[in-house]
Amino acid sequence: MSSSIGAASAEASPPRTVGHPTPLVDGVDKVTGRARYTADLPHADALVGMILRSTVAHGTIVGIDVSAARALPGVRAVVTGDDFAAPYGVIPIAQNEWPLARERVRYRGEPIAAVAADDRASAEAALAAIVADIAPLSPVFTAQDALAEGAPLLHRDKAGNVEREVAQDFGDVDAGFAAADLVRERRFHYAEVAHGQIERNAAVASFDPERGELTSRSTTQVPYYLHLAIARCLGLDRAQIRITKPFVGGGFGHRVEPLNFEIVAAALARAAGATVRVEQSREDSFLTHRGRPETDIRLRLGLRAGGEITAVDCEVIQRGGAYAGYGVVTILYAGALLHALYRVGAVRYRGLRVYTNTPPSGAMRGHGAVDVRHAFEALLDEMGGELGLDPFALRRANLIEPPWRTANDLQVNSCALAACLDRVEEASGWRERRGKLPRGRGLGLACSHYVSGAAKPVQWSGEPHAVVNLKLDFDGSITLLTGAADIGQGSSTLLTQVAAETLCLPIERIRVVAADSALTPKDNGSYSSRVSFMVGNAALRAAEALRDTLVEAAARTLGVAATEVVWQGERCLVRGTDRELDFASVVAAALAGTGTLTVKGVWTTPSEMQGGRFRGAAVGSTAGFSYSAQVVEVAVDEETGAVSVEHVWVAHDCGFAINPLAATGQVQGAVWMGMGQALQEETQYHEGLALRPNFLDYRIPTIAESPPIDVTLVDSLDPLGPFGAKEASEGSLHGFAPALTSAIADATGIRLMALPATPDRVLDAIVRRRREARLESMRANRAAAAAGERTNP
Amino acid sequence: MGTRLLEVTVNGRTRCDAVDDATLLVDYLRRSVGLTGTKQGCDGGECGACTVLVDGAPRLACITLAASMAGRSIETIESLAAAGRMSPLQRAFHEHLGAQCGYCTPGMIMSAEALLRRDRAPTEDAIRAALAGNLCRCTGYVKIVESVQAASRALAEGER
């Protein structure tokens, strides 16, 4: 752990690096076009790999005849499901997907065969020559159909097409409802949405048959999980494999599990004994999917007159698609983060993750918790209205105070949600403006939270949660070696800042080498907003270890005790004297006799933050929860149903912003992604056929329709986070949708129970309300007339 | 399908390459010329990541035939830096975090470059209109608008 040697002076001076807006250390490469993403890697000799997809949503594979394809000129390899040793899946207990389908296909677009050829035309000809004999089975496309009595089963071992049924009970729910002054129950529906990262999927795999070595570079957020999957599926020893991650053009969860095209590229490379490049289309990305599942929620809440939540009863059904992926985790997250935001003592949660003949859903930014957050906040808002409570007062009535143990055994060590509420209340002019806006305009509030890293990794190996190495060499440069995957969120920059701050050195001295399994220590990957917290902590400890070594070397050279050395980075002093040593001399002293120095820092989440003892308790547990409050202002056109977002004010408790520039950008991006889902994004299928597998039909917001997003970063100085930091990448996403629908309710009186809030849904609700109002007034008139007849016979 | 010789200027250098009639400009730039700064994020004309300048006007390289570029002058993201120094737009996108993952960035900057060449001090609405064909999934566009505004200020202050 941390040593105090030389630390006194470092702590006495204000932070020089952390806490300051810092452009990305790899930013120049990005703006100049020099950054190489997977598809940019130069390989003149690479074969073109292509994948054949099923046109059948559910069927038995009678046979796949590849003989004609194999005989075509320029074709170097053809592989099918039979060429793999094992199925894969990111969760060890749910590995039921083959890189290329075996025996059965379960969704339209599922990969069934792949080829590697000299050029694209030859590869396309080979795909066309493959004869797939698939006997159709009855498909199920909705959760309701999949759950119906006698529905065809997707997986033999999963009765009723239920991948996972969750039942969690905390506290006395019945007593909680009995104690409530107001109980309401509502049903909500959420469309399936997709990540829409702008970079298309790609993989470049090379196989050297002479040495039996496989090298893979691909668009991944999780190089380590990909490493495991390729070893497993190809039957290779893990030591034969090298995974490197080039620049990655966004992820948002699409790439947090190994994906078929990456494993297929590796199989093709091995079969051809060559380098194979697989470049996927945008349509392929939509078919590979792993997005947020279509979700149905029934939610019942009990509130006291003062707004205190007395009980929660919730049922969630997720349409998971054809394979497991992260499904078990997603349905558990929905329950874990449903209520843990507030002071809640009684919870009944029922979750169903269902298999359907649609592309597999997976983890998407805000994993599992986005739709339940909408339901919860929306119902709170509605009930608060009935109770005559201001939305801010309602939230303030339910705030937790750290340290706090939630009903489901999650530990909260820091929480500045109260300050977040204060900030957005002020910034949005809520008190002056709410209720006084012109017709069609409205303000809505919602809160949210998220984990800073899942406390239990999916591969439970007993290793620390994060490891960072620092290498100091003769030239005085420090190389930070990390497996953490920078996918645009700025993790390499943050780790540089943490190390530089701890060593009191300028960030220019530190170079990051990331995500190359041959060089860098293993990292679990960029998901669950774990990197800043976990890898940041490992970097902090590595830098402390290096600083201690350098201080000791300086002390030896200066002939004083280490405690007498005042460490200032580029130079150090003997306390109370003017004797000093420059950094180069300290480095020379430290390397003398030992040579190049490599130190290590590790981080392990304390066990009390790893959740309770009930089944599924690990999901939701984390060492640090972020908190967020946001106010959304909307304008609703009641003639067309069009909703425009005029402004968003958001305050995010990220503990401490190590890089306020990146944290602000992440919060803006998260809020905005929430906006896309809330306003307009929605996949669509016709009998399993994806109808919107492109950016014209799947409409992510353009710059023309995107609002100003004012961010306030709120400090809570988490006791375990590096410099007090927590996550800033996901937790503000969840609050957007409920703030939006509450704003729409404020503007129009309409409460939307289904998202996205497309013009047709909004207009339907407006028309329905007008019709109900007309009927109401007709009934009232008739009743009045009848009463009149009785009094005036 | 035939093959022809294409004479074209790419980033100020005149070239002559054999191209198939069906070759797209994005593939010509990335594969034949070897300039991979120009990206492709969609299957044709949806995302704007491939935006380049053709005779100074923004154009989607993924729905432009290379063969149609005979005698034209093409500018890609690689042309903006001079002697290794970033252009005002590149510097602004770097310093104001207009780029997160960076994948939409080349197209975004080229669209903004075309805008600033015809209007050095665009209004926010003009910026939003000029970039409406360029999708970004990371930033929510807030810092992209700020980046273009910062570049506009830098131009006003006389930076190259």
Side-chain angles (χ1 to χ4, degrees):
Chain A
M1 274 299 283
S2 164
S3 144
S4 60
I5 297 173
S9 60
E11 282 161 13
S13 58
R16 299 141 31 115
T17 307
V18 301
H20 295 286
T22 306
L24 302 182
V25 294
D26 51 4
V28 175
D29 295 324
K30 293 174 182 173
V31 300
T32 55
R34 290 202 289 262
R36 296 263 189 194
Y37 299 77
T38 301
D40 304 335
L41 298 173
H43 277 290
D45 60 340
L47 301 173
V48 174
M50 294 190 82
I51 293 173
L52 183 68
R53 294 176 179 278
S54 172
T55 55
V56 175
H58 196 192
T60 303
I61 298 175
V62 179
I64 298 177
D65 185 353
V66 300
S67 53
R70 208 161 252 156
L72 287 175
V75 174
R76 306 291 169 179
V78 182
V79 294
T80 67
D82 293 338
D83 293 293
F84 295 90
Y88 71 103
V90 69
I91 308 292
I93 58 164
Q95 298 183 316
N96 64 358
E97 186 168 10
W98 290 84
L100 297 170
R102 283 221 321 206
E103 296 177 14
R104 252 217 241 182
V105 292
R106 294 181 176 87
Y107 67 97
R108 251 170 120 148
E110 181 169 1
I112 53 174
V115 303
D118 290 348
D119 51 51
R120 190 179 171 92
S122 306
E124 283 174 345
L127 289 190
I130 295 172
V131 182
D133 183 1
I134 299 173
L137 297 165
S138 301
V140 285
F141 298 123
T142 65
Q144 289 70 22
D145 288 350
L147 292 169
E149 187 83 31
L153 291 187
L154 269 78
H155 299 274
R156 286 182 197 96
D157 60 336
K158 291 293 177 184
N161 291 313
V162 175
E163 180 193 347
R164 179 70 176 264
E165 182 169 7
V166 181
Q168 294 178 348
D169 298 270
F170 309 103
D172 190 337
V173 176
D174 295 334
F177 281 116
D181 295 308
L182 180 68
V183 175
R184 287 286 176 266
E185 181 173 302
R186 294 284 178 264
R187 287 175 186 275
F188 300 88
H189 177 80
Y190 303 93
E192 180 184 275
V193 293
H195 313 84
Q197 76 290 346
I198 303 295
E199 182 192 22
R200 302 188 303 180
N201 287 336
V204 179
S206 303
F207 188 74
D208 175 357
E210 296 293 346
R211 284 185 285 193
E213 281 179 3
L214 185 110
T215 307
S216 165
R217 281 145 297 178
S218 71
T219 53
T220 183
Q221 300 174 240
V222 286
Y224 164 60
Y225 293 158
L226 178 62
H227 197 142
L228 298 182
I230 288 178
R232 179 181 160 84
C233 293
L234 269 61
L236 293 174
D237 189 295
R238 290 171 185 174
Q240 288 175 274
I241 297 169
R242 178 177 185 180
I243 307 279
T244 61
K245 179 204 71 70
F247 276 85
V248 167
F252 315 112
H254 182 74
R255 296 155 170 178
V256 295
E257 54 182 305
L259 296 172
N260 50 52
F261 70 92
E262 301 168 295
I263 308 169
V264 167
L268 285 171
R270 180 173 63 176
T275 297
V276 176
R277 182 197 297 276
V278 174
E279 288 189 55
Q280 296 269 275
S281 66
R282 175 54 51 188
E283 181 176 10
D284 290 325
S285 275
F286 276 98
L287 295 174
T288 305
H289 190 41
R290 319 283 153 166
R292 205 183 311 293
E294 181 179 69
T295 298
D296 289 286
I297 296 176
R298 179 192 61 76
L299 177 66
R300 190 163 174 246
L301 291 180
L303 297 188
R304 288 190 205 280
E308 299 87 354
I309 301 163
T310 61
V312 177
D313 174 19
C314 186
E315 193 181 336
V316 175
I317 299 176
Q318 295 172 344
R319 181 184 71 185
Y323 294 99
Y326 269 104
V328 170
V329 176
T330 315
I331 194 69
L332 285 166
Y333 259 126
L337 299 189
L338 162 74
H339 55 89
L341 174 57
Y342 298 118
R343 182 186 292 266
V344 175
V347 181
R348 182 183 298 131
Y349 172 67
R350 299 290 179 269
L352 275 183
R353 179 79 176 192
V354 183
Y355 284 120
T356 52
N357 293 110
T358 51
S361 290
M364 182 170 161
R365 200 175 195 176
H367 194 182
V370 174
D371 296 339
V372 291
R373 184 84 273 121
H374 176 268
F376 200 100
E377 300 290 307
L379 185 49
L380 269 188
D381 194 77
E382 179 182 348
M383 293 172 70
E386 278 194 68
L387 290 169
L389 293 169
D390 173 78
F392 279 86
L394 179 52
R395 268 59 178 211
R396 286 177 180 131
N398 291 289
L399 292 176
I400 59 180
E401 283 165 31
W404 178 260
R405 199 85 181 167
T406 67
N408 53 336
D409 250 341
L410 305 177
Q411 179 71 24
V412 176
N413 294 322
S414 64
C415 172
L417 184 56
C420 293
L421 285 165
D422 294 346
R423 294 296 108 75
V424 294
E425 186 178 37
E426 192 184 329
S428 65
W430 180 274
R431 284 178 180 281
E432 306 79 55
R433 301 174 63 229
R434 166 90 169 185
K436 303 181 185 88
L437 294 170
R439 186 175 171 81
R441 278 185 98 102
L443 291 171
L445 164 74
C447 297
S448 51
H449 67 153
Y450 202 64
V451 301
S452 304
K456 273 213 170 69
V458 296
Q459 294 282 343
W460 186 235
S461 60
E463 295 166 77
H465 290 78
V467 177
V468 163
N469 291 341
L470 285 176
K471 177 177 85 79
L472 170 66
D473 223 323
F474 72 97
D475 56 358
S477 73
I478 294 167
T479 304
L480 189 153
L481 295 146
T482 173
D486 197 324
I487 56 170
Q489 83 279 40
S491 63
S492 291
T493 306
L494 179 138
L495 298 175
T496 304
Q497 290 179 271
V498 166
E501 181 71 39
T502 308
L503 288 157
C504 300
L505 289 169
I507 60 172
E508 291 75 19
R509 270 211 190 273
I510 294 160
R511 178 189 291 135
V512 175
V513 171
D516 178 342
S517 67
L519 302 173
T520 58
K522 166 198 140 184
D523 189 68
N524 285 322
S526 290
Y527 61 90
S528 77
S529 283
R530 57 178 290 283
V531 175
S532 297
F533 201 104
M534 294 186 174
V535 188
N537 263 323
L540 176 67
R541 283 150 178 75
E544 285 173 343
L546 183 57
R547 191 182 64 200
D548 290 352
T549 303
L550 292 171
V551 167
E552 280 161 21
R556 277 198 307 277
T557 308
L558 292 162
V560 299
T563 49
E564 291 307 301
V565 174
V566 179
W567 180 254
Q568 293 181 349
E570 289 295 319
R571 60 175 199 160
C572 57
L573 304 165
V574 176
R575 193 181 308 279
T577 75
D578 58 0
R579 293 181 62 207
E580 66 171 68
L581 211 55
D582 66 6
F583 184 68
S585 305
V586 178
V587 171
L591 267 53
T594 66
T596 304
L597 276 171
T598 302
V599 300
K600 182 164 94 169
V602 303
W603 162 258
T604 298
T605 304
S607 59
E608 60 268 34
M609 276 105 221
Q610 294 194 17
R613 299 192 171 277
F614 56 94
R615 187 170 184 235
V619 175
S621 66
T622 182
F625 281 101
S626 72
Y627 291 87
S628 172
Q630 64 191 290
V631 170
V632 169
E633 180 168 352
V634 296
V636 183
D637 182 337
E638 296 196 49
E639 296 307 311
T640 63
V643 176
S644 72
V645 177
E646 301 295 315
H647 211 120
V648 183
W649 299 267
V650 57
H652 185 102
D653 162 19
C654 62
F656 170 76
I658 290 174
N659 186 355
L661 182 67
T664 303
Q666 286 290 306
V667 172
Q668 286 167 337
V671 165
W672 174 88
M673 192 171 269
M675 183 184 87
Q677 170 176 358
L679 272 187
Q680 60 197 70
E681 294 178 28
E682 180 171 16
T683 65
Q684 195 181 8
Y685 300 92
H686 174 69
E687 295 185 348
L689 176 71
L691 295 183
R692 297 175 173 179
N694 59 70
F695 282 147
L696 295 180
D697 298 311
Y698 187 87
R699 290 195 65 255
I700 76 177
T702 72
I703 195 170
E705 63 218 290
S706 296
I709 302 168
D710 293 351
V711 177
T712 306
L713 299 173
V714 175
D715 284 357
S716 59
L717 296 181
D718 187 86
L720 294 175
F723 299 99
K726 301 185 289 191
E727 78 88 29
S729 297
E730 300 191 65
S732 283
L733 192 157
H734 311 67
F736 183 90
L740 175 88
T741 54
S742 294
I744 293 172
D746 184 43
T748 65
I750 283 165
R751 295 205 172 267
L752 288 175
M753 302 295 173
L755 289 180
T758 48
D760 54 326
R761 283 198 180 92
V762 174
L763 195 57
D764 274 357
I766 289 171
V767 168
R768 198 162 53 239
R769 193 190 51 175
R770 281 186 194 145
R771 195 182 302 128
E772 280 162 10
R774 269 203 306 276
L775 281 169
E776 194 82 358
S777 82
M778 279 166 62
R779 280 194 208 100
N781 289 343
R782 201 170 299 160
E789 276 166 27
R790 276 198 301 276
T791 49
N792 302 308
Chain B
M1 191 171 74
T3 299
R4 68 178 75 189
L5 279 179
L6 171 68
E7 260 199 55
V8 63
T9 302
V10 179
N11 297 342
R13 299 189 204 180
T14 303
R15 304 175 53 98
C16 188
D17 295 292
V19 298
D20 287 340
D21 289 344
T23 297
L24 293 167
L25 178 56
V26 65
D27 293 328
Y28 169 71
L29 291 171
R30 289 174 53 84
R31 292 178 191 167
S32 302
V33 186
L35 294 174
T36 55
T38 302
K39 306 301 183 201
Q40 185 166 4
C42 65
D43 298 342
E46 301 159 17
C47 77
C50 66
T51 304
V52 296
L53 303 188
V54 176
D55 295 334
R59 186 124 173 195
L60 298 179
C62 77
I63 49 171
T64 299
L65 289 172
S68 70
M69 292 292 102
R72 315 289 289 270
S73 172
I74 299 163
E75 294 167 81
T76 71
I77 187 71
E78 287 93 343
S79 71
L80 295 188
R85 310 295 295 178
M86 291 185 283
S87 75
L89 265 172
Q90 288 174 318
R91 189 170 301 284
F93 269 72
H94 173 54
E95 292 177 353
H96 295 264
L97 201 69
Q100 283 188 24
C101 83
Y103 203 79
C104 75
T105 306
M108 197 69 80
I109 288 180
M110 295 315 284
S111 290
E113 175 73 19
L115 169 68
L116 292 185
R117 283 189 197 173
R118 61 172 194 271
D119 179 0
R120 285 164 68 96
T123 62
E124 182 175 336
D125 283 350
I127 294 169
R128 289 183 183 272
L131 301 182
N134 292 81
L135 295 179
C136 166
R137 194 57 159 168
C138 295
T139 60
Y141 304 107
V142 182
K143 294 194 183 301
I144 287 175
V145 173
E146 290 169 3
S147 297
V148 178
Q149 289 170 332
S152 170
R153 281 196 303 276
L155 285 170
E157 287 158 15
E159 195 182 323
R160 176 180 67 83

